[in-house]
Protein backbone atom coordinates (compact mmCIF):
# COMPACT_ATOMS: atom_id res chain seq x y z
CA UNK A 1 0.00 0.00 0.00
CA UNK A 2 1.04 3.60 -0.50
CA UNK A 3 2.51 5.26 2.56
CA UNK A 4 0.18 7.98 3.80
CA UNK A 5 3.12 10.37 3.89
CA UNK A 6 3.12 10.34 0.08
CA UNK A 7 -0.33 11.95 0.14
CA UNK A 8 1.26 15.21 1.23
CA UNK A 9 3.14 15.71 -2.05
CA UNK A 10 3.09 19.35 -3.05
CA UNK A 11 3.25 18.74 -6.82
CA UNK A 12 0.16 16.82 -7.98
CA UNK A 13 1.47 16.59 -11.55
CA UNK A 14 4.65 14.89 -10.37
CA UNK A 15 2.53 12.60 -8.21
CA UNK A 16 0.41 11.62 -11.18
CA UNK A 17 3.43 10.98 -13.38
CA UNK A 18 5.09 8.83 -10.72
CA UNK A 19 2.01 6.66 -10.21
CA UNK A 20 1.45 6.40 -13.96
CA UNK A 21 5.00 5.16 -14.52
CA UNK A 22 4.64 2.68 -11.67
CA UNK A 23 1.39 1.30 -13.08
CA UNK A 24 2.86 1.05 -16.57
CA UNK A 25 5.91 -0.79 -15.27
CA UNK A 26 3.73 -3.25 -13.36
CA UNK A 27 1.60 -4.16 -16.39
CA UNK A 28 2.94 -7.11 -18.34
CA UNK A 29 1.10 -9.04 -21.07
CA UNK A 30 3.16 -12.05 -19.99
CA UNK A 31 1.66 -11.96 -16.48
CA UNK A 32 -1.96 -10.77 -16.57
CA UNK A 33 -3.79 -10.98 -13.24
CA UNK A 34 -5.40 -14.35 -12.70
CA UNK A 35 -9.05 -14.76 -11.77
CA UNK A 36 -8.31 -15.04 -8.05
CA UNK A 37 -6.25 -11.85 -8.06
CA UNK A 38 -8.94 -9.92 -9.88
CA UNK A 39 -11.57 -11.13 -7.46
CA UNK A 40 -9.38 -10.10 -4.55
CA UNK A 41 -9.14 -6.58 -5.97
CA UNK A 42 -12.90 -6.39 -6.37
CA UNK A 43 -13.36 -7.66 -2.81
CA UNK A 44 -11.03 -4.95 -1.51
CA UNK A 45 -12.97 -2.27 -3.37
CA UNK A 46 -16.29 -3.57 -2.09
CA UNK A 47 -14.95 -3.75 1.47
CA UNK A 48 -13.72 -0.16 1.26
CA UNK A 49 -17.09 1.05 0.02
CA UNK A 50 -19.08 -0.86 2.63
CA UNK A 51 -16.85 0.24 5.51
CA UNK A 52 -16.76 3.94 4.64
CA UNK A 53 -19.94 4.78 2.73
CA UNK A 54 -21.29 6.99 5.50
CA UNK A 55 -18.11 9.07 5.42
CA UNK A 56 -18.48 9.42 1.66
CA UNK A 57 -22.06 10.64 2.08
CA UNK A 58 -20.95 13.15 4.73
CA UNK A 59 -18.17 14.45 2.48
CA UNK A 60 -20.55 14.94 -0.44
CA UNK A 61 -23.08 16.80 1.70
CA UNK A 62 -20.28 19.16 2.74
CA UNK A 63 -19.10 19.61 -0.85
CA UNK A 64 -22.61 20.51 -2.08
CA UNK A 65 -23.69 22.47 0.99
CA UNK A 66 -27.19 21.02 0.63
CA UNK A 67 -27.95 17.59 -0.81
CA UNK A 68 -30.21 14.75 0.23
CA UNK A 69 -28.35 11.95 1.98
CA UNK A 70 -30.84 9.43 0.68
CA UNK A 71 -30.25 10.62 -2.87
CA UNK A 72 -26.50 10.29 -2.44
CA UNK A 73 -27.02 6.78 -1.13
CA UNK A 74 -29.20 5.77 -4.07
CA UNK A 75 -27.10 7.52 -6.74
CA UNK A 76 -23.55 7.02 -5.48
CA UNK A 77 -23.34 4.09 -3.07
CA UNK A 78 -25.93 1.53 -4.14
CA UNK A 79 -25.06 1.44 -7.90
CA UNK A 80 -21.40 0.41 -7.51
CA UNK A 81 -22.33 -2.18 -4.87
CA UNK A 82 -24.89 -3.74 -7.21
CA UNK A 83 -22.38 -3.47 -10.03
CA UNK A 84 -19.73 -5.28 -8.00
CA UNK A 85 -22.18 -8.06 -7.20
CA UNK A 86 -22.99 -8.61 -10.87
CA UNK A 87 -19.37 -8.46 -12.07
CA UNK A 88 -18.10 -10.86 -9.42
CA UNK A 89 -20.88 -13.31 -10.20
CA UNK A 90 -20.00 -13.50 -13.91
CA UNK A 91 -16.28 -12.71 -14.13
CA UNK A 92 -15.06 -16.30 -14.44
CA UNK A 93 -17.30 -16.88 -17.45
CA UNK A 94 -16.29 -13.60 -19.11
CA UNK A 95 -12.59 -14.46 -18.83
CA UNK A 96 -12.93 -17.70 -20.81
CA UNK A 97 -11.80 -17.71 -24.46
CA UNK A 98 -14.77 -17.44 -26.83
CA UNK A 99 -15.24 -19.68 -29.83
CA UNK A 100 -15.78 -17.88 -33.11
CA UNK A 101 -16.72 -19.14 -36.54
CA UNK A 102 -13.84 -19.78 -38.95
CA UNK A 103 -16.15 -19.44 -41.93
CA UNK A 104 -15.40 -21.68 -44.88
CA UNK A 105 -11.99 -22.44 -43.35
CA UNK A 106 -13.82 -24.28 -40.59
CA UNK A 107 -14.46 -27.05 -43.14
CA UNK A 108 -10.73 -27.75 -43.08
CA UNK A 109 -10.55 -27.97 -39.30
CA UNK A 110 -9.29 -24.41 -38.63
CA UNK A 111 -10.35 -23.17 -35.14
CA UNK A 112 -10.83 -19.54 -34.09
CA UNK A 113 -10.94 -18.04 -30.61
CA UNK A 114 -11.18 -14.62 -29.00
CA UNK A 115 -8.90 -14.29 -25.97
CA UNK A 116 -9.61 -11.27 -23.76
CA UNK A 117 -6.45 -9.71 -22.39
CA UNK A 118 -6.03 -6.55 -20.25
CA UNK A 119 -5.36 -3.30 -22.09
CA UNK A 120 -2.97 -1.99 -19.44
CA UNK A 121 -3.44 1.29 -17.55
CA UNK A 122 -6.85 2.96 -17.55
CA UNK A 123 -7.45 6.61 -16.71
CA UNK A 124 -10.82 7.68 -15.32
CA UNK A 125 -11.92 11.31 -14.97
CA UNK A 126 -15.23 11.55 -13.13
CA UNK A 127 -17.63 14.50 -12.62
CA UNK A 128 -19.02 16.13 -9.48
CA UNK A 129 -22.66 15.10 -9.73
CA UNK A 130 -22.16 11.39 -8.90
CA UNK A 131 -18.45 11.28 -8.08
CA UNK A 132 -18.40 7.90 -6.31
CA UNK A 133 -20.39 5.79 -8.76
CA UNK A 134 -19.04 7.49 -11.90
CA UNK A 135 -15.50 6.92 -10.64
CA UNK A 136 -15.95 3.38 -9.35
CA UNK A 137 -18.24 1.91 -12.01
CA UNK A 138 -15.63 2.08 -14.81
CA UNK A 139 -12.91 1.15 -12.31
CA UNK A 140 -14.82 -2.00 -11.33
CA UNK A 141 -14.99 -3.20 -14.93
CA UNK A 142 -11.40 -2.19 -15.67
CA UNK A 143 -10.10 -4.08 -12.62
CA UNK A 144 -12.22 -7.09 -13.56
CA UNK A 145 -10.60 -7.04 -16.99
CA UNK A 146 -7.16 -7.15 -15.33
CA UNK A 147 -6.08 -3.53 -15.74
CA UNK A 148 -4.57 -0.97 -13.41
CA UNK A 149 -6.61 2.20 -12.82
CA UNK A 150 -5.97 5.80 -11.85
CA UNK A 151 -8.96 8.02 -11.00
CA UNK A 152 -9.08 11.82 -11.13
CA UNK A 153 -12.38 13.02 -9.58
CA UNK A 154 -13.72 16.52 -10.13
CA UNK A 155 -12.05 19.40 -8.34
CA UNK A 156 -15.58 20.57 -7.45
CA UNK A 157 -15.84 17.86 -4.75
CA UNK A 158 -12.56 18.34 -2.84
CA UNK A 159 -13.66 16.70 0.43
CA UNK A 160 -14.95 13.57 -1.27
CA UNK A 161 -11.86 13.38 -3.50
CA UNK A 162 -9.49 13.70 -0.55
CA UNK A 163 -11.39 10.96 1.28
CA UNK A 164 -11.31 8.60 -1.72
CA UNK A 165 -7.62 9.23 -2.17
CA UNK A 166 -6.83 8.45 1.46
CA UNK A 167 -9.00 5.34 1.62
CA UNK A 168 -7.68 3.96 -1.66
CA UNK A 169 -4.10 4.48 -0.54
CA UNK A 170 -4.82 2.58 2.66
CA UNK A 171 -6.35 -0.40 0.87
CA UNK A 172 -4.62 -0.74 -2.52
CA UNK A 173 -1.13 -0.89 -3.90
CA UNK A 174 -0.98 2.29 -5.98
CA UNK A 175 0.26 0.21 -8.92
CA UNK A 176 -3.23 -1.33 -9.05
CA UNK A 177 -5.61 1.48 -8.11
CA UNK A 178 -4.97 5.09 -7.13
CA UNK A 179 -6.96 8.31 -6.77
CA UNK A 180 -5.34 11.67 -7.47
CA UNK A 181 -6.35 15.27 -6.80
CA UNK A 182 -5.86 18.58 -8.55
CA UNK A 183 -7.37 21.58 -10.30
CA UNK A 184 -8.19 22.12 -13.99
CA UNK A 185 -4.49 22.37 -14.86
CA UNK A 186 -3.88 18.97 -13.30
CA UNK A 187 -6.90 17.53 -15.10
CA UNK A 188 -5.52 18.71 -18.44
CA UNK A 189 -2.21 16.99 -17.72
CA UNK A 190 -4.01 13.85 -16.56
CA UNK A 191 -6.05 13.63 -19.77
CA UNK A 192 -2.97 14.03 -21.95
CA UNK A 193 -1.07 11.00 -20.61
CA UNK A 194 -0.67 7.98 -22.94
CA UNK A 195 -3.36 5.81 -21.36
CA UNK A 196 -4.32 2.46 -22.79
CA UNK A 197 -7.92 3.67 -22.52
CA UNK A 198 -9.33 6.85 -21.02
CA UNK A 199 -12.83 7.34 -19.59
CA UNK A 200 -14.31 10.82 -19.22
CA UNK A 201 -17.77 11.67 -17.90
CA UNK A 202 -18.79 15.31 -18.06
CA UNK A 203 -19.80 18.15 -20.35
CA UNK A 204 -19.52 18.14 -24.13
CA UNK A 205 -17.12 21.09 -24.35
CA UNK A 206 -14.66 19.50 -21.92
CA UNK A 207 -15.16 16.22 -23.78
CA UNK A 208 -13.88 17.86 -26.96
CA UNK A 209 -10.75 19.01 -25.12
CA UNK A 210 -10.24 15.52 -23.68
CA UNK A 211 -10.46 14.02 -27.16
CA UNK A 212 -7.94 16.54 -28.48
CA UNK A 213 -5.56 15.76 -25.60
CA UNK A 214 -5.81 12.03 -26.34
CA UNK A 215 -5.19 12.38 -30.08
CA UNK A 216 -1.35 12.66 -30.07
CA UNK A 217 -1.08 9.25 -28.38
CA UNK A 218 -4.03 7.72 -30.29
CA UNK A 219 -5.51 6.95 -26.88
CA UNK A 220 -8.87 5.16 -27.12
CA UNK A 221 -11.46 7.30 -25.32
CA UNK A 222 -14.85 6.49 -23.83
CA UNK A 223 -16.87 9.69 -23.49
CA UNK A 224 -20.10 9.97 -21.49
CA UNK A 225 -21.28 13.50 -22.10
CA UNK A 226 -25.00 13.96 -21.52
CA UNK A 227 -26.77 16.58 -23.59
CA UNK A 228 -30.33 17.86 -23.81
CA UNK A 229 -32.42 14.78 -23.02
CA UNK A 230 -36.02 15.07 -24.31
CA UNK A 231 -39.24 13.52 -23.04
CA UNK A 232 -42.08 12.87 -25.48
CA UNK A 233 -45.47 13.12 -23.80
CA UNK A 234 -47.86 11.40 -26.20
CA UNK A 235 -51.54 12.44 -26.45
CA UNK A 236 -52.73 9.31 -24.65
CA UNK A 237 -50.32 9.66 -21.72
CA UNK A 238 -51.55 10.05 -18.14
CA UNK A 239 -50.66 13.72 -17.78
CA UNK A 240 -50.78 13.78 -13.98
CA UNK A 241 -48.50 10.76 -13.64
CA UNK A 242 -46.09 11.89 -16.35
CA UNK A 243 -45.88 15.42 -14.98
CA UNK A 244 -45.06 14.06 -11.53
CA UNK A 245 -42.44 11.69 -12.95
CA UNK A 246 -40.71 14.41 -14.97
CA UNK A 247 -40.78 16.78 -11.98
CA UNK A 248 -39.02 14.16 -9.87
CA UNK A 249 -36.42 13.56 -12.55
CA UNK A 250 -35.78 17.24 -13.16
CA UNK A 251 -35.39 18.11 -9.48
CA UNK A 252 -33.14 15.19 -8.57
CA UNK A 253 -29.75 16.54 -7.47
CA UNK A 254 -30.94 20.01 -8.44
CA UNK A 255 -31.17 18.93 -12.07
CA UNK A 256 -27.45 18.18 -12.10
CA UNK A 257 -27.86 14.76 -13.72
CA UNK A 258 -26.77 13.93 -17.26
CA UNK A 259 -29.90 11.81 -17.83
CA UNK A 260 -32.38 14.30 -16.39
CA UNK A 261 -35.17 15.51 -18.68
CA UNK A 262 -33.94 18.77 -20.18
CA UNK A 263 -37.09 19.49 -22.16
CA UNK A 264 -40.55 17.97 -22.55
CA UNK A 265 -42.61 17.80 -25.72
CA UNK A 266 -46.28 18.17 -24.75
CA UNK A 267 -49.46 18.22 -26.87
CA UNK A 268 -50.62 21.82 -27.09
CA UNK A 269 -54.01 21.00 -25.56
CA UNK A 270 -52.33 19.33 -22.57
CA UNK A 271 -49.94 22.18 -21.68
CA UNK A 272 -51.81 23.65 -18.71
CA UNK A 273 -52.67 20.27 -17.11
CA UNK A 274 -49.03 19.24 -17.55
CA UNK A 275 -47.73 22.42 -15.89
CA UNK A 276 -50.17 21.94 -13.02
CA UNK A 277 -49.03 18.34 -12.50
CA UNK A 278 -45.36 19.33 -12.42
CA UNK A 279 -45.94 22.17 -9.97
CA UNK A 280 -48.14 20.05 -7.68
CA UNK A 281 -45.45 17.37 -7.44
CA UNK A 282 -42.82 20.01 -6.72
CA UNK A 283 -44.94 21.50 -3.93
CA UNK A 284 -45.60 18.07 -2.40
CA UNK A 285 -41.95 17.02 -2.39
CA UNK A 286 -40.31 20.36 -1.57
CA UNK A 287 -42.65 22.64 0.42
CA UNK A 288 -39.72 24.90 1.30
CA UNK A 289 -36.60 25.87 -0.61
CA UNK A 290 -33.73 27.53 1.24
CA UNK A 291 -32.13 25.41 3.90
CA UNK A 292 -34.17 22.36 2.92
CA UNK A 293 -31.67 19.47 3.05
CA UNK A 294 -33.68 17.64 0.39
CA UNK A 295 -33.12 20.41 -2.17
CA UNK A 296 -29.71 19.95 -3.78
CA UNK A 297 -27.69 23.11 -4.20
CA UNK A 298 -25.82 24.08 -7.33
CA UNK A 299 -22.34 22.67 -6.88
CA UNK A 300 -20.61 26.08 -6.97
CA UNK A 301 -21.18 29.77 -7.60
CA UNK A 302 -20.28 29.51 -11.28
CA UNK A 303 -22.98 26.90 -11.85
CA UNK A 304 -25.51 28.97 -9.90
CA UNK A 305 -24.71 32.08 -11.95
CA UNK A 306 -24.87 30.17 -15.25
CA UNK A 307 -28.31 28.67 -14.60
CA UNK A 308 -29.82 31.90 -13.27
CA UNK A 309 -28.48 33.76 -16.33
CA UNK A 310 -30.27 31.32 -18.64
CA UNK A 311 -33.57 31.99 -16.91
CA UNK A 312 -32.99 35.76 -16.77
CA UNK A 313 -32.38 35.81 -20.54
CA UNK A 314 -35.65 33.95 -21.22
CA UNK A 315 -37.62 36.32 -19.01
CA UNK A 316 -35.98 39.40 -20.52
CA UNK A 317 -36.93 38.27 -24.03
CA UNK A 318 -40.56 37.83 -23.08
CA UNK A 319 -40.89 34.08 -22.88
CA UNK A 320 -43.30 32.58 -20.39
CA UNK A 321 -41.42 31.64 -17.21
CA UNK A 322 -43.28 29.67 -14.52
CA UNK A 323 -42.15 29.12 -10.93
CA UNK A 324 -44.03 27.62 -7.96
CA UNK A 325 -46.06 30.22 -6.07
CA UNK A 326 -45.05 28.74 -2.72
CA UNK A 327 -41.50 30.09 -3.23
CA UNK A 328 -42.68 33.67 -3.78
CA UNK A 329 -41.09 34.72 -0.50
CA UNK A 330 -37.92 32.72 -1.16
CA UNK A 331 -36.18 34.28 -4.17
CA UNK A 332 -32.99 32.55 -5.37
CA UNK A 333 -29.91 33.48 -3.39
CA UNK A 334 -26.25 32.60 -3.83
CA UNK A 335 -26.03 32.10 -0.06
CA UNK A 336 -27.56 28.62 -0.34
CA UNK A 337 -27.22 28.17 -4.14
CA UNK A 338 -30.59 26.37 -4.01
CA UNK A 339 -32.70 27.15 -7.07
CA UNK A 340 -36.43 26.59 -7.46
CA UNK A 341 -37.97 24.55 -10.21
CA UNK A 342 -38.39 26.86 -13.20
CA UNK A 343 -40.35 26.10 -16.37
CA UNK A 344 -39.83 27.99 -19.63
CA UNK A 345 -42.58 27.50 -22.22
CA UNK A 346 -41.77 27.20 -25.94
CA UNK A 347 -38.24 28.67 -25.91
CA UNK A 348 -36.76 29.21 -29.36
CA UNK A 349 -33.23 29.01 -30.69
CA UNK A 350 -32.53 32.64 -29.80
CA UNK A 351 -32.11 31.47 -26.19
CA UNK A 352 -29.02 29.78 -24.82
CA UNK A 353 -31.48 27.69 -22.81
CA UNK A 354 -32.65 26.18 -26.09
CA UNK A 355 -29.16 25.40 -27.35
CA UNK A 356 -27.16 24.23 -24.33
CA UNK A 357 -27.52 21.58 -21.64
CA UNK A 358 -28.94 23.33 -18.58
CA UNK A 359 -27.70 21.02 -15.79
CA UNK A 360 -29.97 22.70 -13.28
CA UNK A 361 -33.63 22.66 -12.12
CA UNK A 362 -34.96 24.36 -15.27
CA UNK A 363 -37.40 22.50 -17.52
CA UNK A 364 -38.23 23.67 -21.02
CA UNK A 365 -41.64 22.69 -22.41
CA UNK A 366 -42.27 22.63 -26.16
CA UNK A 367 -45.86 22.32 -27.32
CA UNK A 368 -46.74 20.42 -30.49
CA UNK A 369 -49.74 19.67 -32.68
CA UNK A 370 -48.43 16.59 -34.50
CA UNK A 371 -45.91 13.91 -33.64
CA UNK A 372 -43.92 14.81 -36.75
CA UNK A 373 -43.56 18.34 -35.38
CA UNK A 374 -42.29 17.03 -32.03
CA UNK A 375 -39.80 14.70 -33.72
CA UNK A 376 -38.57 17.62 -35.82
CA UNK A 377 -37.78 19.61 -32.67
CA UNK A 378 -35.64 16.75 -31.34
CA UNK A 379 -33.93 16.03 -34.65
CA UNK A 380 -32.89 19.68 -34.94
CA UNK A 381 -30.77 19.32 -31.79
CA UNK A 382 -27.67 17.27 -31.03
CA UNK A 383 -28.24 13.58 -30.31
CA UNK A 384 -28.93 13.16 -26.57
CA UNK A 385 -27.65 10.64 -24.06
CA UNK A 386 -31.17 9.57 -23.12
CA UNK A 387 -34.61 9.92 -24.64
CA UNK A 388 -37.95 9.23 -22.95
CA UNK A 389 -41.38 8.39 -24.31
CA UNK A 390 -44.55 8.44 -22.21
CA UNK A 391 -47.78 6.99 -23.54
CA UNK A 392 -49.48 3.76 -24.56
CA UNK A 393 -49.90 4.00 -28.32
CA UNK A 394 -47.44 1.33 -29.45
CA UNK A 395 -47.30 2.64 -33.00
CA UNK A 396 -46.49 6.17 -31.82
CA UNK A 397 -43.85 4.88 -29.39
CA UNK A 398 -42.20 2.81 -32.12
CA UNK A 399 -42.27 5.83 -34.44
CA UNK A 400 -40.39 7.94 -31.91
CA UNK A 401 -37.83 5.18 -31.26
CA UNK A 402 -37.30 4.56 -34.97
CA UNK A 403 -37.12 8.17 -36.13
CA UNK A 404 -34.86 9.61 -33.42
CA UNK A 405 -31.27 8.91 -32.43
CA UNK A 406 -30.00 8.82 -28.85
CA UNK A 407 -27.68 6.89 -26.59
CA UNK A 408 -30.65 4.98 -25.18
CA UNK A 409 -34.42 5.09 -24.75
CA UNK A 410 -36.63 4.45 -21.74
CA UNK A 411 -40.37 4.04 -22.29
CA UNK A 412 -42.75 5.23 -19.55
CA UNK A 413 -39.94 5.81 -17.08
CA UNK A 414 -36.66 7.69 -16.68
CA UNK A 415 -33.11 6.33 -17.11
CA UNK A 416 -34.08 2.64 -17.05
CA UNK A 417 -31.74 1.96 -19.98
CA UNK A 418 -28.81 3.09 -17.84
CA UNK A 419 -29.50 0.34 -15.28
CA UNK A 420 -29.10 -2.61 -17.63
CA UNK A 421 -26.55 -5.30 -16.80
CA UNK A 422 -26.35 -6.47 -20.39
CA UNK A 423 -26.65 -3.61 -22.90
CA UNK A 424 -23.96 -1.16 -21.85
CA UNK A 425 -24.41 2.57 -21.33
CA UNK A 426 -23.23 5.44 -23.48
CA UNK A 427 -24.07 8.26 -25.85
CA UNK A 428 -23.88 8.93 -29.56
CA UNK A 429 -22.26 11.82 -31.39
CA UNK A 430 -22.11 14.92 -29.15
CA UNK A 431 -23.52 12.93 -26.20
CA UNK A 432 -20.58 10.54 -26.18
CA UNK A 433 -18.86 7.53 -27.66
CA UNK A 434 -18.19 4.01 -26.44
CA UNK A 435 -20.08 1.84 -23.97
CA UNK A 436 -19.32 0.54 -20.50
CA UNK A 437 -21.27 -0.18 -17.28
CA UNK A 438 -23.01 -3.11 -18.86
CA UNK A 439 -21.34 -6.04 -17.14
CA UNK A 440 -19.89 -8.05 -20.00
CA UNK A 441 -20.07 -5.00 -22.29
CA UNK A 442 -17.89 -3.08 -19.83
CA UNK A 443 -15.52 -6.01 -19.38
CA UNK A 444 -15.05 -6.10 -23.16
CA UNK A 445 -14.57 -2.31 -23.30
CA UNK A 446 -11.50 -2.58 -21.08
CA UNK A 447 -10.09 -5.68 -22.77
CA UNK A 448 -8.30 -6.44 -26.01
CA UNK A 449 -10.28 -9.17 -27.80
CA UNK A 450 -7.24 -10.85 -29.29
CA UNK A 451 -7.96 -13.03 -32.33
CA UNK A 452 -6.27 -16.44 -32.23
CA UNK A 453 -6.59 -18.85 -35.19
CA UNK A 454 -5.33 -22.44 -35.04
CA UNK A 455 -4.34 -23.92 -38.38
CA UNK A 456 -5.33 -27.53 -39.15
CA UNK A 457 -3.19 -30.16 -40.85
CA UNK A 458 -5.51 -30.20 -43.85
CA UNK A 459 -5.30 -26.41 -44.16
CA UNK A 460 -1.52 -26.61 -43.97
CA UNK A 461 -1.49 -28.89 -47.02
CA UNK A 462 -4.10 -26.88 -48.93
CA UNK A 463 -2.40 -23.55 -48.28
CA UNK A 464 0.98 -24.72 -49.55
CA UNK A 465 -0.03 -23.83 -53.10
CA UNK A 466 -2.61 -21.15 -52.31
CA UNK A 467 -0.23 -18.22 -52.72
CA UNK A 468 2.09 -17.12 -55.52
CA UNK A 469 4.05 -18.30 -57.33
CA UNK A 470 1.14 -20.15 -58.88
CA UNK A 471 1.87 -23.64 -60.14
CA UNK A 472 -1.11 -23.69 -62.48
CA UNK A 473 -4.75 -22.78 -62.89
CA UNK A 474 -6.12 -25.25 -60.37
CA UNK A 475 -5.30 -23.22 -57.26
CA UNK A 476 -6.25 -19.94 -58.93
CA UNK A 477 -9.59 -21.31 -60.05
CA UNK A 478 -10.32 -22.68 -56.58
CA UNK A 479 -9.77 -19.24 -55.07
CA UNK A 480 -11.88 -17.51 -57.73
CA UNK A 481 -14.74 -19.93 -57.22
CA UNK A 482 -14.90 -18.98 -53.53
CA UNK A 483 -16.14 -15.51 -54.52
CA UNK A 484 -17.98 -16.41 -57.72
CA UNK A 485 -15.42 -15.05 -60.20
CA UNK A 486 -14.23 -16.60 -63.44
CA UNK A 487 -10.67 -17.02 -64.63
CA UNK A 488 -10.28 -14.49 -67.47
CA UNK A 489 -7.43 -16.55 -68.95
CA UNK A 490 -9.93 -19.32 -69.70
CA UNK A 491 -12.31 -16.92 -71.46
CA UNK A 492 -9.83 -15.31 -73.77
CA UNK A 493 -9.15 -12.50 -71.24
Amino acid sequence: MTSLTTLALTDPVADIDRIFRAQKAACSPAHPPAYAERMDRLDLLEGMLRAHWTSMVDALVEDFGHRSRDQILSADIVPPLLHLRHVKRHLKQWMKPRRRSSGVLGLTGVRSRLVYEPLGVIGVMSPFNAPVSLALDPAIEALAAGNSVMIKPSESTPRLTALLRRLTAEVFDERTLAVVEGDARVSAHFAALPWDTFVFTGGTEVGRRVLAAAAPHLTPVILELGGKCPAFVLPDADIDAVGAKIAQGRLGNGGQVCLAVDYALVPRAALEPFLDAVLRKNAADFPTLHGNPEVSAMIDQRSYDRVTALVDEARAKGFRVVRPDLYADEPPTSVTRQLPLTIVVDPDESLRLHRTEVFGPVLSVHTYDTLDEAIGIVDAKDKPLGLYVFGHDRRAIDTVVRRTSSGGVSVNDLALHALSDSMGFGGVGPSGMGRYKGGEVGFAAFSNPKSVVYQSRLMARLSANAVPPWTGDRQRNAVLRLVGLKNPARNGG
Side-chain angles (χ1 to χ4, degrees), residues 212-286:
H217 300 295
L218 299 179
T219 300
V221 177
I222 297 174
L223 297 177
E224 306 294 350
L225 302 178
K228 298 182 73 63
C229 299
F232 284 82
V233 181
L234 300 180
D236 67 340
D238 182 334
I239 295 298
D240 284 345
V242 173
K245 175 72 70 173
I246 290 176
Q248 283 183 307
R250 195 56 186 145
L251 291 168
N253 199 25
Q256 298 165 107
V257 179
C258 60
L259 283 168
V261 176
D262 191 287
Y263 63 102
L265 303 131
V266 179
R268 193 175 307 278
L271 173 62
E272 297 306 324
F274 177 79
L275 296 179
D276 288 343
V278 173
L279 294 174
R280 283 200 310 273
K281 181 60 176 174
N282 175 84
D285 289 347
F286 307 104

Side-chain angles (χ1 to χ4, degrees), residues 389-402:
V389 191
F390 293 91
H392 304 287
D393 183 336
R394 179 56 58 184
R395 180 175 295 180
I397 292 170
D398 290 344
T399 296
V400 172
V401 172
R402 187 176 65 253

